[in-house]
Amino acid sequence: MADLVDRLCRHASAFAAGIAGIDDATVLNEVVFTQVCAEFGNDERTEQVLTRLLDDGTTWISGSTWHGRRVMRISVSNWSTTDDDVARALDAIRRASASA
């Protein structure tokens, strides 16, 4: 069980690092477990990124409101998530951000 939790936390950290490298993207929380909240400049653009991401179909990541801001909310909780899954999801987030 400890290995599973460590792997999920590592994936969340990888998401945070990847998103932090995207222009106008900001990771809003300290990633200490499996949750990542990020914004893309403002609420409207964040919503556009989320819409494009879901339209892309590579991954399913939800939006939420956190501290009054629209955010991308990533929750890494599936035991079968791999490093390759995270890399593909980050590529999709980059594409969505570039087209928003």
Side-chain angles (χ1 to χ4, degrees):
M1 185 60 71
D3 288 343
L4 170 62
V5 172
D6 288 345
R7 186 172 68 246
L8 296 175
C9 292
R10 183 172 42 84
H11 290 324
S13 293
F15 270 113
I19 291 169
I22 298 172
D23 288 342
D24 295 326
T26 304
V27 175
L28 299 172
N29 65 309
E30 179 182 354
V31 179
V32 295
F33 193 51
T34 62
Q35 306 294 307
V36 180
C37 288
E39 67 159 1
F40 293 80
N42 58 51
D43 288 353
E44 182 179 334
R45 183 155 186 275
T46 298
E47 189 61 37
Q48 289 172 346
V49 172
L50 286 164
T51 298
R52 284 174 171 77
L53 180 63
L54 293 178
D55 288 347
D56 177 89
T58 299
T59 189
W60 192 88
I61 293 173
S62 68
S64 186
T65 301
W66 190 65
H67 294 285
R69 301 163 98 167
R70 192 69 180 140
V71 298
M72 174 181 288
R73 180 182 171 270
I74 300 169
S75 179
V76 185
S77 58
N78 192 305
W79 67 270
S80 65
T81 301
T82 66
D83 292 342
D84 288 341
D85 294 330
V86 174
R88 280 192 301 277
L90 282 168
D91 286 343
I93 293 168
R94 288 183 195 98
R95 286 192 303 272
S97 179
S99 68

